[in-house]
Every structure is written in C-alpha cells, then in structure tokens.
Amino acid sequence: MKHIIEAKPASHRPKAPEPLPARMAPAVRMLDVDADSAGQRLDNFLMRHLKGVPKTHVYRIIRSGEVRINKGRATADTRVQAGDQVRLPPVRVSEKMAEKAERPAPAREFPLLLEDEHLIALDKPAGTAVHGGSGVSFGVIEQMRQARPQAKFLELVHRLDRETSGILLVAKKRSALTHLQDQFRERETGKTYLALVIGTWPANKKVIDTPLHKYLQPDGERRVRTTTVDDPDGMRSITLVKLRTSLPARPDQDLPTFSLLEVTIKTGRTHQIRVHLASQGHPIAGDEKYGDFDLNRRLPRHGLKRMFLHAWRLQFTHPASGERIELLAPLPPDLACFVPSIP
C-alpha cells in the first residue's frame, strides 16, 4: 500500500529517521532445510539461523505462529525435515547483539570420556552452557566447532543446564544424532545424577511422579513448578531417587544435615531434578533458583561455590555397533572437596 505525504517547507519538514544498516533491517526470510539439518527440533534450527536473537524471543515467535513450516504452524519441538521450507518473520537485532553474534567463539576442547567416528562423550564443566542463547554468546558446541574446523558435523544430542557438570553427548554424524535422540525420546537411555540435598532424605522415598509446568516470569526468565495431573499444561515427570549416604550436621560451621542422592530421570523435563527434589522439601545445595537462599549464601565459605548437581552416569546403545555403553564421570574437584569421604 502506498502512502502519499504532502511535502512541507524545509523549515517545517521533520528530520528523516536514520535508516537501519542493511544487515539490521528486518525482513521475512525463507529457509530451506537441508539434509544435515533434517531431524532437528525447530527451536534448535532457528537458534542456529537467528544469531544474536534472545532465546525467549525465538520461543515467542514460534508460539505466536509467525514461524511456519511449509505454510503451516509448528511447535518448538517439531522436527524439521529435508526439503521443508521455514518462514522466519522480521526479527530486529541490535547492533551490539549482531556484532557479538558475528564474533567467533573461542576454540576449546573438553575432557573426553569416549570418542569414535560416530560420537563424542565429554565431561562438561559447570558454568559452561551447552550452546549459545539468551544472555550467552556461545557454549560447548560452538567452541568445539571452532576447535575442530575440519569436522563436517557436530551436533548436541541432549542438553545439560549451564550450572550442571557431567556427561554430555555430541554426535559426529546425522545418523548417530537421530539414533541417539530417538533413544532419549523413547526413554531407552539411563541418566543418573549425583545431587546433594539439604536435610535427611527418607530412604523409602524412591519415586517422584509429579507433573511439571514450565512458564516464563515477567522478566523472561524460565521457571518450572510442580502442578496437578489435571493441569492441561502439565507434563508428566518421573524421577527415581536412591539415597547414597547422609552427611551429619556440622553445628560448629552452621551447616545442616545433607543427603547425597543418586537421581535417575525417566523423563527429561526442564529443571526436573531441581524442582522435584525441592518440592519434597529437600532442595539441592547451591541451587540459586529453587534452593535455600540463606544457606546458599553461607556455602561458598565452606568450599561449595555452585549447585551440587552432576551428570554422573549415562547408559545408551551405540548407534552403530548396537553395544550397550555405560559411561561414568567422577565428581569434579569442586564438588568432591565438599564431601571428601564419598568415593
């Protein structure tokens, strides 16, 4: 539609706004999904193409229906397929964010637990995101791609929270990625974490089967809470808990009793372990979102400077050989020093 605007004398003519730089001007984009991207979740596919766009905004344009696959609406967990055409709405990126997105991640290798021609199993340190996103310029996968420029394919099989350390799988082939992701989706993997919680965990409490509801706070921060089975937005979530040992209270150091747990998740919901354990009155030590904030302020003085959650054991079927694999990542020094008597 054309708009006709009557010209005014120069003295009254408003100053024209400065045009956006070409790279910043928002416009609809159409992306063709190639074979290497086939099988990816839509949210992950978009994040690779919308560098510098906050993760919360990516999810917002998906929910609003502005993102289309072959002209149809889709959800964040829709899997794109080779030949699909994805419509991206106009997305404005600030100059600062665009420059940051164009800046390559620093090359970095991580401690390896297993590597062959199909996959990599690494021991992710705490404090490192698995990928770039909201407020994070880069993560494990971007750093590994920089460290291995000859690698034709490197993709995350699953995720770990930034604050969580431990076993993380990266696929080196598309066939390995889809095979492994199918195992995670069908609950054919075994994912066990070590978590230190506040208080004495009852030894007979072995299963938590409580739905979880994911939501965004007004500031865009992602949060999760327990809900009821009749909540249409609740997702069934199952956590198995085994008490490994108890640590007695240390009154002289103003520290309560702790329990070290082996926690196996049968569903992979966002913040599942953290919210499930906190809902039982036993939050994870050092958890800044769902924990005991007063205790968390004291813990660094005693050597615990982050959340005590570690992806300790992973069991899966090798995508090529069919062999059942079990990997173990020992507690890192920053956690082991807090529970020195634990093997």
Short mmCIF file of all heavy atoms in Angstrom, two decimals, residues 159 183-193 207-212 235-240 263-274 276:
data_model
loop_
_atom_site.label_atom_id
_atom_site.label_comp_id
_atom_site.label_asym_id
_atom_site.label_seq_id
_atom_site.Cartn_x
_atom_site.Cartn_y
_atom_site.Cartn_z
N ARG A 159 20.90 -32.00 26.29
CA ARG A 159 21.34 -30.79 26.98
C ARG A 159 21.61 -31.05 28.45
O ARG A 159 21.09 -31.99 29.03
CB ARG A 159 20.28 -29.69 26.86
CG ARG A 159 19.86 -29.37 25.44
CD ARG A 159 18.81 -28.29 25.44
NE ARG A 159 18.25 -28.06 24.11
CZ ARG A 159 17.36 -27.13 23.82
NH1 ARG A 159 16.93 -26.33 24.76
NH2 ARG A 159 16.90 -27.00 22.59
N GLN A 183 16.62 -42.64 21.21
CA GLN A 183 16.77 -43.37 22.47
C GLN A 183 16.37 -42.49 23.66
O GLN A 183 15.70 -42.95 24.59
CB GLN A 183 18.21 -43.84 22.65
CG GLN A 183 18.64 -44.95 21.70
CD GLN A 183 20.04 -45.42 22.01
OE1 GLN A 183 20.36 -45.79 23.14
NE2 GLN A 183 20.90 -45.42 21.01
N PHE A 184 16.77 -41.23 23.62
CA PHE A 184 16.40 -40.32 24.71
C PHE A 184 14.89 -40.11 24.73
O PHE A 184 14.27 -40.12 25.79
CB PHE A 184 17.12 -38.97 24.55
CG PHE A 184 18.52 -38.96 25.08
CD1 PHE A 184 19.60 -39.32 24.28
CD2 PHE A 184 18.77 -38.58 26.39
CE1 PHE A 184 20.90 -39.31 24.77
CE2 PHE A 184 20.07 -38.56 26.90
CZ PHE A 184 21.13 -38.93 26.08
N ARG A 185 14.31 -39.94 23.56
CA ARG A 185 12.87 -39.68 23.48
C ARG A 185 12.05 -40.89 23.92
O ARG A 185 11.01 -40.75 24.56
CB ARG A 185 12.52 -39.28 22.04
CG ARG A 185 11.08 -38.81 21.86
CD ARG A 185 10.88 -38.07 20.56
NE ARG A 185 11.41 -38.78 19.42
CZ ARG A 185 12.52 -38.44 18.74
NH1 ARG A 185 13.20 -37.37 19.09
NH2 ARG A 185 12.93 -39.13 17.70
N GLU A 186 12.53 -42.08 23.60
CA GLU A 186 11.81 -43.31 23.95
C GLU A 186 12.20 -43.84 25.33
O GLU A 186 11.81 -44.95 25.70
CB GLU A 186 12.07 -44.39 22.89
CG GLU A 186 11.60 -44.01 21.49
CD GLU A 186 10.11 -43.73 21.43
OE1 GLU A 186 9.36 -44.44 22.13
OE2 GLU A 186 9.70 -42.80 20.70
N ARG A 187 12.99 -43.08 26.07
CA ARG A 187 13.41 -43.42 27.44
C ARG A 187 14.21 -44.73 27.47
O ARG A 187 14.09 -45.54 28.39
CB ARG A 187 12.20 -43.52 28.37
CG ARG A 187 11.34 -42.27 28.38
CD ARG A 187 10.13 -42.44 29.28
NE ARG A 187 9.19 -41.33 29.12
CZ ARG A 187 8.02 -41.24 29.74
NH1 ARG A 187 7.65 -42.21 30.57
NH2 ARG A 187 7.22 -40.23 29.53
N GLU A 188 15.03 -44.91 26.45
CA GLU A 188 15.87 -46.11 26.38
C GLU A 188 17.27 -45.86 26.93
O GLU A 188 18.10 -46.76 26.92
CB GLU A 188 15.94 -46.60 24.93
CG GLU A 188 14.59 -47.06 24.38
CD GLU A 188 14.62 -47.35 22.90
OE1 GLU A 188 15.67 -47.08 22.27
OE2 GLU A 188 13.62 -47.83 22.35
N THR A 189 17.53 -44.65 27.38
CA THR A 189 18.82 -44.34 27.97
C THR A 189 18.68 -44.36 29.49
O THR A 189 17.57 -44.30 30.03
CB THR A 189 19.30 -42.94 27.55
OG1 THR A 189 18.31 -41.97 27.93
CG2 THR A 189 19.51 -42.88 26.05
N GLY A 190 19.81 -44.44 30.18
CA GLY A 190 19.82 -44.34 31.64
C GLY A 190 20.64 -43.13 32.04
O GLY A 190 21.85 -43.10 31.79
N LYS A 191 20.00 -42.12 32.61
CA LYS A 191 20.68 -40.87 33.00
C LYS A 191 20.60 -40.73 34.51
O LYS A 191 19.51 -40.52 35.06
CB LYS A 191 20.02 -39.68 32.32
CG LYS A 191 20.13 -39.68 30.81
CD LYS A 191 19.23 -38.62 30.18
CE LYS A 191 19.65 -37.23 30.57
NZ LYS A 191 18.80 -36.20 29.91
N THR A 192 21.74 -40.88 35.17
CA THR A 192 21.77 -40.80 36.63
C THR A 192 22.70 -39.67 37.07
O THR A 192 23.82 -39.54 36.57
CB THR A 192 22.25 -42.12 37.24
OG1 THR A 192 21.38 -43.17 36.83
CG2 THR A 192 22.26 -42.05 38.76
N TYR A 193 22.19 -38.87 37.98
CA TYR A 193 22.93 -37.71 38.51
C TYR A 193 23.27 -37.94 39.97
O TYR A 193 22.59 -38.70 40.67
CB TYR A 193 22.07 -36.45 38.40
CG TYR A 193 21.74 -36.01 37.00
CD1 TYR A 193 20.85 -36.73 36.22
CD2 TYR A 193 22.29 -34.84 36.46
CE1 TYR A 193 20.52 -36.31 34.94
CE2 TYR A 193 21.97 -34.41 35.18
CZ TYR A 193 21.08 -35.15 34.42
OH TYR A 193 20.76 -34.74 33.16
N VAL A 207 10.45 -42.78 44.44
CA VAL A 207 9.86 -42.35 43.18
C VAL A 207 9.13 -41.03 43.37
O VAL A 207 8.35 -40.87 44.32
CB VAL A 207 8.87 -43.40 42.62
CG1 VAL A 207 8.27 -42.91 41.29
CG2 VAL A 207 9.55 -44.74 42.44
N ILE A 208 9.39 -40.07 42.48
CA ILE A 208 8.62 -38.83 42.44
C ILE A 208 7.93 -38.80 41.08
O ILE A 208 8.59 -38.76 40.03
CB ILE A 208 9.52 -37.58 42.60
CG1 ILE A 208 10.35 -37.69 43.89
CG2 ILE A 208 8.68 -36.31 42.60
CD1 ILE A 208 11.39 -36.58 44.03
N ASP A 209 6.62 -38.87 41.09
CA ASP A 209 5.82 -38.88 39.86
C ASP A 209 4.85 -37.70 39.94
O ASP A 209 3.69 -37.86 40.29
CB ASP A 209 5.09 -40.21 39.73
CG ASP A 209 4.35 -40.36 38.40
OD1 ASP A 209 4.29 -39.37 37.64
OD2 ASP A 209 3.81 -41.45 38.12
N THR A 210 5.36 -36.52 39.65
CA THR A 210 4.59 -35.28 39.77
C THR A 210 4.73 -34.46 38.50
O THR A 210 5.85 -34.19 38.07
CB THR A 210 5.08 -34.45 40.98
OG1 THR A 210 5.07 -35.27 42.16
CG2 THR A 210 4.22 -33.23 41.19
N PRO A 211 3.62 -34.02 37.89
CA PRO A 211 3.71 -33.22 36.67
C PRO A 211 4.41 -31.89 36.91
O PRO A 211 4.36 -31.34 38.02
CB PRO A 211 2.24 -33.01 36.28
CG PRO A 211 1.48 -34.06 37.01
CD PRO A 211 2.22 -34.30 38.28
N LEU A 212 5.05 -31.40 35.87
CA LEU A 212 5.74 -30.11 35.93
C LEU A 212 5.14 -29.15 34.92
O LEU A 212 4.74 -29.55 33.82
CB LEU A 212 7.23 -30.30 35.68
CG LEU A 212 8.01 -31.13 36.71
CD1 LEU A 212 9.45 -31.30 36.28
CD2 LEU A 212 7.94 -30.49 38.10
N MET A 235 3.25 -31.50 32.38
CA MET A 235 3.92 -32.61 31.70
C MET A 235 4.29 -33.68 32.73
O MET A 235 4.94 -33.37 33.73
CB MET A 235 5.19 -32.12 31.00
CG MET A 235 4.94 -31.02 29.97
SD MET A 235 4.10 -31.63 28.50
CE MET A 235 5.43 -32.55 27.74
N ARG A 236 3.87 -34.91 32.48
CA ARG A 236 4.20 -35.96 33.43
C ARG A 236 5.72 -36.08 33.55
O ARG A 236 6.45 -36.11 32.55
CB ARG A 236 3.62 -37.31 33.00
CG ARG A 236 3.80 -38.36 34.09
CD ARG A 236 3.24 -39.71 33.75
NE ARG A 236 3.37 -40.61 34.89
CZ ARG A 236 3.16 -41.92 34.84
NH1 ARG A 236 2.80 -42.49 33.70
NH2 ARG A 236 3.31 -42.66 35.92
N SER A 237 6.21 -36.17 34.77
CA SER A 237 7.64 -36.19 35.04
C SER A 237 7.93 -37.22 36.12
O SER A 237 7.31 -37.19 37.19
CB SER A 237 8.11 -34.80 35.50
OG SER A 237 7.71 -33.81 34.55
N ILE A 238 8.87 -38.12 35.84
CA ILE A 238 9.17 -39.22 36.75
C ILE A 238 10.66 -39.19 37.11
O ILE A 238 11.52 -39.19 36.23
CB ILE A 238 8.82 -40.58 36.13
CG1 ILE A 238 7.34 -40.60 35.73
CG2 ILE A 238 9.14 -41.71 37.10
CD1 ILE A 238 6.95 -41.84 34.95
N THR A 239 10.94 -39.16 38.40
CA THR A 239 12.30 -39.15 38.92
C THR A 239 12.46 -40.27 39.92
O THR A 239 11.63 -40.42 40.83
CB THR A 239 12.61 -37.80 39.60
OG1 THR A 239 12.43 -36.72 38.67
CG2 THR A 239 14.04 -37.77 40.12
N LEU A 240 13.52 -41.06 39.76
CA LEU A 240 13.83 -42.14 40.70
C LEU A 240 14.98 -41.69 41.60
O LEU A 240 15.97 -41.13 41.11
CB LEU A 240 14.22 -43.41 39.94
CG LEU A 240 13.27 -43.89 38.85
CD1 LEU A 240 13.78 -45.18 38.22
CD2 LEU A 240 11.86 -44.08 39.39
N VAL A 263 20.17 -39.87 41.44
CA VAL A 263 18.88 -39.48 40.88
C VAL A 263 18.83 -39.86 39.40
O VAL A 263 19.64 -39.39 38.60
CB VAL A 263 18.66 -37.96 41.02
CG1 VAL A 263 17.26 -37.58 40.52
CG2 VAL A 263 18.84 -37.52 42.47
N THR A 264 17.88 -40.72 39.06
CA THR A 264 17.72 -41.17 37.67
C THR A 264 16.43 -40.59 37.11
O THR A 264 15.36 -40.73 37.73
CB THR A 264 17.67 -42.70 37.59
OG1 THR A 264 18.89 -43.23 38.11
CG2 THR A 264 17.51 -43.17 36.14
N ILE A 265 16.52 -39.91 35.98
CA ILE A 265 15.32 -39.32 35.40
C ILE A 265 14.79 -40.21 34.28
O ILE A 265 15.52 -40.64 33.40
CB ILE A 265 15.57 -37.88 34.89
CG1 ILE A 265 16.76 -37.81 33.92
CG2 ILE A 265 15.80 -36.94 36.06
CD1 ILE A 265 16.94 -36.45 33.30
N LYS A 266 13.50 -40.48 34.35
CA LYS A 266 12.83 -41.27 33.31
C LYS A 266 12.21 -40.36 32.26
O LYS A 266 11.83 -40.82 31.18
CB LYS A 266 11.76 -42.17 33.93
CG LYS A 266 12.27 -43.07 35.05
CD LYS A 266 13.43 -43.94 34.62
CE LYS A 266 13.03 -45.02 33.64
NZ LYS A 266 14.15 -45.93 33.29
N THR A 267 12.06 -39.09 32.60
CA THR A 267 11.61 -38.08 31.64
C THR A 267 12.60 -36.92 31.70
O THR A 267 13.17 -36.67 32.76
CB THR A 267 10.20 -37.57 31.99
OG1 THR A 267 10.18 -37.16 33.37
CG2 THR A 267 9.16 -38.64 31.75
N GLY A 268 12.80 -36.24 30.61
CA GLY A 268 13.81 -35.19 30.58
C GLY A 268 13.22 -33.80 30.53
O GLY A 268 13.41 -33.05 29.57
N ARG A 269 12.49 -33.42 31.57
CA ARG A 269 11.87 -32.09 31.61
C ARG A 269 12.86 -31.03 32.08
O ARG A 269 13.80 -31.33 32.82
CB ARG A 269 10.65 -32.09 32.54
CG ARG A 269 9.66 -33.21 32.32
CD ARG A 269 9.11 -33.25 30.92
NE ARG A 269 8.12 -34.32 30.79
CZ ARG A 269 7.72 -34.83 29.64
NH1 ARG A 269 8.22 -34.37 28.50
NH2 ARG A 269 6.82 -35.80 29.61
N THR A 270 12.61 -29.80 31.68
CA THR A 270 13.43 -28.68 32.11
C THR A 270 13.44 -28.59 33.64
O THR A 270 12.38 -28.59 34.26
CB THR A 270 12.89 -27.37 31.52
OG1 THR A 270 12.91 -27.44 30.09
CG2 THR A 270 13.72 -26.18 31.98
N HIS A 271 14.64 -28.51 34.22
CA HIS A 271 14.83 -28.36 35.67
C HIS A 271 14.13 -29.45 36.48
O HIS A 271 13.82 -29.25 37.66
CB HIS A 271 14.33 -26.98 36.14
CG HIS A 271 15.06 -25.82 35.52
ND1 HIS A 271 14.62 -24.52 35.63
CD2 HIS A 271 16.18 -25.77 34.76
CE1 HIS A 271 15.43 -23.72 34.98
NE2 HIS A 271 16.39 -24.45 34.44
N GLN A 272 13.92 -30.61 35.87
CA GLN A 272 13.14 -31.66 36.52
C GLN A 272 13.68 -32.06 37.89
O GLN A 272 12.95 -32.10 38.88
CB GLN A 272 13.06 -32.90 35.62
CG GLN A 272 12.33 -34.08 36.26
CD GLN A 272 12.17 -35.25 35.32
OE1 GLN A 272 12.02 -35.07 34.13
NE2 GLN A 272 12.20 -36.46 35.85
N ILE A 273 14.97 -32.38 37.94
CA ILE A 273 15.55 -32.84 39.20
C ILE A 273 15.47 -31.75 40.26
O ILE A 273 15.07 -31.98 41.41
CB ILE A 273 17.02 -33.28 39.00
CG1 ILE A 273 17.08 -34.52 38.09
CG2 ILE A 273 17.69 -33.57 40.33
CD1 ILE A 273 18.49 -34.95 37.74
N ARG A 274 15.81 -30.54 39.88
CA ARG A 274 15.86 -29.44 40.83
C ARG A 274 14.48 -29.17 41.44
O ARG A 274 14.35 -28.98 42.66
CB ARG A 274 16.39 -28.18 40.12
CG ARG A 274 17.78 -28.39 39.56
CD ARG A 274 18.17 -27.33 38.53
NE ARG A 274 18.31 -26.01 39.13
CZ ARG A 274 18.70 -24.93 38.44
NH1 ARG A 274 18.96 -25.04 37.14
NH2 ARG A 274 18.83 -23.77 39.03
N HIS A 276 11.72 -31.24 41.35
CA HIS A 276 11.19 -32.40 42.06
C HIS A 276 11.77 -32.52 43.46
O HIS A 276 11.04 -32.77 44.44
CB HIS A 276 11.46 -33.67 41.25
CG HIS A 276 10.33 -34.06 40.36
ND1 HIS A 276 10.37 -35.15 39.52
CD2 HIS A 276 9.08 -33.53 40.21
CE1 HIS A 276 9.21 -35.26 38.87
NE2 HIS A 276 8.43 -34.29 39.27
#
